[in-house]
Amino acid sequence: MIDRRRVVGAAGLAALGTTLGAATGGRAWAAEGPARWPRMRQAMAVDAMTGVDLFYVPEDDPAAPKLLQHLRECGLTGAVMTAAPQGRFWLNDKAYEDTRARIDEWKGRIDKHPDVLLLVRERADLERANREGKVGVIFTFQGTEPLGEDLDRITSFREQGVRMIQLTHNRRNLVGDGALEAGDAGLSNYGRQVVERLNAERIVVDLSHGSPRTIREGILASKAPVLVGHSGCRALADASRLTSDESLKLLADRGGVVGIIFWPYLRVQGQQTSADVIRHLEHAVKVCGEDHVGIGTDLGISPIELTPEFAKDSLDTVKDMISQGIFAKDRSPEMTLFPPDLNVPNRFETLAAKLSARGWPDARIEKILGANFARVMGEVWG
């Protein structure tokens, strides 16, 4: 939800009291904070849906230094980032042209900050980001609208640096049905051709936001493991954006990985917290096994300053989402899209410390933080 996230992800740009310690490589670590996890510096941490907030402000914006600081603090190795607008019917060349222009712009921003950022094109780039303490940016789309009806655009986008493509957003498109489509028509014939071409071009297929049938058919259509990069367990909260145990098991059986989202979908009512994230992680591990679960926050990297202005914007945003059917009609709008107790730049480390306190072994935590995603990416990219 990149456009929505700008309301809650860039409305407040100040950190909530995290103090920078000494830098390790290009990455600075919080000297004090909600929690510490000793293995964070070695972990391959990949957020399968996030936003580099720096890309949404001008280079000379007064907030830019703070946003760079958050990148150094976050501890991420890989940040999967949407380079194409979603949630719209883009059935002309504008989607293609605008997406290519945005990718070029963002690649320019990456080049301006080589001490903090790098573009990920292959598994070796993730390893380099981890080794050098940088955030590796992985370009994706949330919806195949920029492709139009031209499969050759997949090749064009790959040459430009795109390494993951999500088939649908909430609506129906030419490829298949999104999560909010009641018809649940699954993949179209064209959608199957898209999956086949994505496999051929070694681009990761993401089935997030798919309808149940789209997710199931997408898993079966792909010759390579796929991701449901930001979702959750529908067995715990019956929301259309979450994934059934049946599909989770099928995903795992074919080598894929599901990422647990941080959004309010994690519970039926009330404010989600880290406890809900952990509840979904533990259920997913029970269904899929620890080799097939990760994290896709669907949040910007920078934390939110909880100002009165933010509170008003957040309330209006959530009310609008409820009216669209994104959240249930009876859902209270009195909530934030992020778990308040994970509203820190180093939220992966904070979560890891909580998992460790629950008795999770370090090896399992490292898999969930990103090693599982890195495995699939490396297998697909070659």
Side-chain angles (χ1 to χ4, degrees), residues 314-370:
S314 178
L315 185 64
D316 291 344
T317 296
V318 175
K319 285 180 177 178
D320 182 49
M321 290 180 170
I322 292 172
S323 72
Q324 294 180 53
I326 294 172
F327 299 126
K329 297 296 183 184
D330 62 349
R331 189 73 187 257
S332 170
E334 299 286 345
M335 59 183 176
T336 61
L337 298 183
F338 55 87
D341 60 340
L342 293 174
N343 188 34
V344 288
N346 64 328
R347 59 179 64 100
F348 270 53
E349 181 179 24
T350 302
L351 180 61
K354 291 177 181 291
L355 293 172
S356 182
R358 291 177 66 83
W360 281 42
D362 286 344
R364 178 187 294 174
I365 294 172
E366 289 189 29
K367 291 178 181 180
I368 270 65
L369 291 189

Side-chain angles (χ1 to χ4, degrees), residues 154 165 167 194-203 205:
I154 296 174
I165 291 183
L167 298 186
V194 168
V195 171
E196 183 178 7
R197 187 64 172 267
L198 291 172
N199 287 167
E201 293 290 350
R202 293 188 168 275
I203 294 175
V205 175

Side-chain angles (χ1 to χ4, degrees), residues 192-348:
R192 295 175 188 280
Q193 293 174 356
V194 168
V195 171
E196 183 178 7
R197 187 64 172 267
L198 291 172
N199 287 167
E201 293 290 350
R202 293 188 168 275
I203 294 175
V204 176
V205 175
D206 187 356
L207 298 171
S208 301
H209 283 270
S211 72
R213 186 173 167 187
T214 298
I215 291 174
R216 182 175 64 255
E217 292 180 354
I219 295 169
L220 293 173
S222 179
K223 293 182 176 64
V226 303
L227 306 181
V228 181
H230 58 298
S231 185
C233 305
R234 196 159 184 172
L236 301 184
D238 189 12
S240 61
R241 269 286 285 110
L242 305 187
T243 307
S244 69
D245 283 0
E246 179 184 10
S247 290
L248 290 175
K249 183 67 165 59
L250 180 64
L251 177 77
D253 287 346
R254 296 177 70 91
V257 179
V258 62
I260 300 303
I261 197 171
F262 280 19
W263 274 43
Y265 303 116
L266 298 179
R267 58 188 303 150
V268 174
Q269 198 63 264
Q271 176 68 59
Q272 82 280 13
T273 68
S274 63
D276 298 294
V277 176
I278 291 170
R279 187 166 60 100
H280 281 255
L281 284 170
E282 290 181 339
H283 183 85
V285 168
K286 180 179 178 181
V287 173
C288 301
E290 65 181 42
D291 294 326
H292 303 283
V293 182
I295 298 168
T297 66
D298 204 10
L299 301 174
I301 289 173
S302 293
I304 307 302
E305 184 180 5
L306 302 179
T307 64
E309 292 77 17
F310 164 77
K312 181 181 182 304
D313 286 344
S314 178
L315 185 64
D316 291 344
T317 296
V318 175
K319 285 180 177 178
D320 182 49
M321 290 180 170
I322 292 172
S323 72
Q324 294 180 53
I326 294 172
F327 299 126
K329 297 296 183 184
D330 62 349
R331 189 73 187 257
S332 170
E334 299 286 345
M335 59 183 176
T336 61
L337 298 183
F338 55 87
D341 60 340
L342 293 174
N343 188 34
V344 288
N346 64 328
R347 59 179 64 100
F348 270 53

Side-chain angles (χ1 to χ4, degrees), residues 74-247:
C74 71
L76 289 178
T77 305
V80 177
M81 188 166 179
T82 302
Q86 69 280 332
R88 304 174 185 175
F89 293 120
W90 284 48
L91 301 177
N92 55 42
D93 287 343
K94 182 173 174 55
Y96 175 69
E97 295 161 358
D98 285 4
T99 300
R100 288 189 63 84
R102 177 176 287 183
I103 292 171
D104 284 342
E105 177 189 347
W106 286 356
K107 287 166 69 174
R109 299 298 296 273
I110 292 170
D111 290 343
K112 286 181 180 294
H113 301 283
D115 59 323
V116 180
L117 296 167
L118 63 83
L119 178 63
V120 173
R121 294 178 179 267
E122 57 188 7
R123 170 64 190 244
D125 293 324
L126 274 179
E127 294 170 352
R128 178 188 164 199
N130 192 47
R131 184 173 62 251
E132 298 180 4
K134 298 176 182 178
V135 177
V137 178
I138 303 165
F139 289 140
T140 191
F141 304 161
Q142 288 199 74
T144 46
E145 283 78 1
L147 304 182
E149 299 181 73
D150 187 350
L151 291 172
D152 289 339
R153 288 181 177 180
I154 296 174
T155 304
S156 174
F157 281 124
R158 190 185 198 285
E159 291 171 351
Q160 204 180 10
V162 174
R163 290 297 181 269
M164 182 186 297
I165 291 183
Q166 181 179 301
L167 298 186
T168 66
H169 197 251
N170 289 333
R171 294 175 172 179
R172 175 177 295 157
N173 63 17
L174 296 177
V175 164
D177 271 11
L180 298 187
E181 292 289 347
D184 190 17
L187 285 183
S188 66
N189 291 334
Y190 175 62
R192 295 175 188 280
Q193 293 174 356
V194 168
V195 171
E196 183 178 7
R197 187 64 172 267
L198 291 172
N199 287 167
E201 293 290 350
R202 293 188 168 275
I203 294 175
V204 176
V205 175
D206 187 356
L207 298 171
S208 301
H209 283 270
S211 72
R213 186 173 167 187
T214 298
I215 291 174
R216 182 175 64 255
E217 292 180 354
I219 295 169
L220 293 173
S222 179
K223 293 182 176 64
V226 303
L227 306 181
V228 181
H230 58 298
S231 185
C233 305
R234 196 159 184 172
L236 301 184
D238 189 12
S240 61
R241 269 286 285 110
L242 305 187
T243 307
S244 69
D245 283 0
E246 179 184 10
S247 290

